[in-house]
Amino acid sequence: MLLTIVAFGIVLLGAFAQTVSGFGYALVTVPLFTMATDPRTAVVVTALTDIGLTVTAALRDRAHVRWRVAGSLTGTALLGLPVGLLVLATVAEDVLSVLIAVVVLGCVALVASGARLRTGPLGIGAVGVLVGVLTAATGTNGPPLVAAFHSLGYDPRTFRATLAAIFSGIGLVGLAGFAAIGRIDAEVLWLSLVALPAVPLGWWLGNLVFDRIRPLVFRRIVLVGLIGSAGVALAAAAG
């Protein structure tokens, strides 16, 4: 019972963060689920609960999606997914926990730095492959896209909509990959089912403040929280 309540709260927090800032769902949920369960369950439960949020967001804001960029990034991400699945299936749990925490901290640093990436065909392709690897291995695939979209100068609504479109495409293929390697088991399905109602609730709460808070301010709040969650997860893995 305690785990189901915790799972609901984690998903609610992640959905709220992503709805307001356009990213952050997996960066919030994966480290917290890792502490509550194990890293492999954390990655797959995050993917299962996130897919409804991203598909809904992509459909709702489809007029703001940059479909050409979304298609290019999704296509190249598929090249990285098999590598990420191999990491998820073969790396020891304690090593995977540390990897997730380190990746989250690195992603926080990337977003906080305001780094700009090359946005030509080669740069977009490299970002896509990296996103594919991170999607399957750690579930934390947003920050490279955040950096790329920052370089492209997208406004908040275009930013959020295009991210959602990419997450939807990669997420659906990623779920098929998780099923193929046997990672969608009874525990994963149960946790996903009990936490799923938190997704529309988090979306609703996030939309209440989306137009009332400056995205930069909320993004900074999210980044501080992510540093804390990643730090705690890293300490737990080390202990």
Side-chain angles (χ1 to χ4, degrees):
M1 177 62 70
L2 178 60
L3 181 56
T4 59
I5 294 172
V6 169
F8 186 93
I10 291 172
V11 169
L12 178 64
L13 184 60
F16 177 79
Q18 178 149 322
T19 302
V20 177
S21 66
F23 76 102
Y25 183 83
L27 289 172
V28 170
T29 59
V30 172
L32 295 179
F33 269 125
T34 296
M35 289 184 285
T37 56
D38 64 81
R40 291 188 176 89
T41 298
V43 171
V44 183
V45 169
T46 292
L48 280 169
T49 53
D50 185 38
I51 194 65
L53 175 65
T54 56
V55 170
T56 300
L59 291 174
R60 177 174 175 171
D61 292 336
R62 60 188 179 277
H64 301 277
V65 175
R66 299 294 177 89
W67 290 107
R68 184 173 181 178
V69 172
S72 297
L73 284 164
T74 302
T76 52
L78 299 182
L79 300 176
L81 275 172
V83 177
L85 288 170
L86 181 64
V87 171
L88 184 71
T90 60
V91 171
E93 284 193 0
D94 56 344
V95 176
L96 188 58
S97 295
V98 173
L99 177 63
I100 288 171
V102 169
V103 168
V104 170
L105 289 173
C107 289
V108 169
L110 177 64
V111 176
S113 69
R116 294 179 179 271
L117 304 179
R118 287 177 171 267
T119 53
L122 185 60
I124 291 294
V127 169
V129 172
L130 177 59
V131 166
V133 174
L134 292 178
T135 295
T138 68
T140 53
N141 55 5
L145 295 173
V146 172
F149 291 175
H150 179 68
S151 303
L152 291 168
Y154 287 172
D155 63 86
R157 193 164 293 278
T158 299
F159 178 98
R160 187 177 74 167
T162 307
L163 274 179
I166 296 169
F167 289 156
S168 297
I170 299 172
L172 289 170
V173 178
L175 288 177
F178 293 142
I181 64 173
R183 294 310 312 169
I184 302 181
D185 54 24
E187 180 187 8
V188 165
L189 288 174
W190 170 248
L191 283 176
S192 301
L193 182 63
V194 298
L196 199 58
V199 173
L201 178 58
W203 172 264
W204 177 72
L205 291 172
N207 271 319
L208 288 180
V209 301
F210 181 69
D211 294 321
R212 295 178 174 84
I213 185 173
R214 290 190 301 161
L216 180 60
V217 172
F218 187 80
R219 188 172 299 178
R220 287 173 178 170
I221 296 172
V222 170
L223 291 175
V224 171
L226 293 177
I227 292 172
S229 66
V232 172
L234 188 59

